[in-house]
Amino acid sequence: EKAVNLKKDLAEMQEWMTQAEEEYLEKDFEYKSPEELENAVEEMKRAKEDVLQKEVRVKILKDNIKMLAAKVPSSGQDLATELNVVLENYQLLCNRIRGKCHTLEEVWSCWIELLQYLDLETAWLNSLEERVQMTENLPDKLDTVSDALESLESVLRHPADNRTQIRELGQTLIDGGILDDIISEKLEAFNARYEELSHLAVSRQIALEQQLQTMRETDHMLQVLQENLAELDRQLTSYLTDRVDAFQMPQEAQ
């Protein structure tokens, strides 16, 4: 009777494993929204816990069959053979569910990481847009234009590492068919804004550099002219002090 019950337990265990495999491993999942992906991750976590909890039952079965085999070798031998099959299938099921759970957790982590990088780069784009707007309608002052140019250039020196991460993470998820529509839309919007603002910022940078160069050249010319006028003033003052007649002066002084 004990052998019959153990045989029944083995059959039930095998049936449960078959159902678990069909439910958790053979279903085709489509992750078209973050909610679907998150639900799949939670479901696989529960599946992993459920399968691992059966480890106690498997161990009890194993111990009972060993005890029976010791007492009744003929009955125990057949059950031991069936037990080995169940043990192999159980271990395979555990490994596959662990693997799928780990994969889904990695995918979810990849999605969260992508959102974080997008948030960082969006904040940078907002800062860049603000700096570009600050360069409009500047007073025609050398210091003001110079400060605006330096401020804009400091933002433009932002490293490209985050954008590389966004591109690689997004492509990894899209290649796996995971959240591909949502990610494609987000990346398209981000890249379009990045290209537009980058071109605008570089154009403003070039314009400010040219404006600054012109202002410096003009400032230098005014400084030279001021020095020449000061020298001429000193010469004329000297002539007047010495009561030099105008017709005795050099032609340019006259």
Side-chain angles (χ1 to χ4, degrees), residues 30-43 104-105 107-109 111 173 178-179:
E30 286 191 1
Y31 311 115
K32 295 299 181 183
S33 72
E35 292 75 21
E36 289 179 2
L37 177 58
E38 187 175 18
N39 289 338
V41 172
E42 294 303 319
E43 183 179 358
L104 283 175
E105 286 176 331
V107 169
W108 179 253
S109 175
W111 163 249
L173 291 169
I178 299 165
L179 307 178

Side-chain angles (χ1 to χ4, degrees), residues 204-217:
R204 290 298 302 152
Q205 180 187 19
I206 294 172
L208 287 172
E209 289 172 345
Q210 292 174 344
Q211 183 182 0
L212 194 60
Q213 180 65 25
T214 301
M215 294 176 70
R216 283 172 176 164
E217 290 175 356

Side-chain angles (χ1 to χ4, degrees), residues 105-120 162 165-166 168-170 173:
E105 286 176 331
E106 287 290 310
V107 169
W108 179 253
S109 175
C110 189
W111 163 249
I112 295 300
E113 193 175 2
L114 174 62
L115 292 181
Q116 290 171 343
Y117 278 115
L118 280 171
D119 285 343
L120 287 173
N162 288 352
Q165 290 293 326
I166 288 172
E168 292 178 353
L169 289 168
L173 291 169

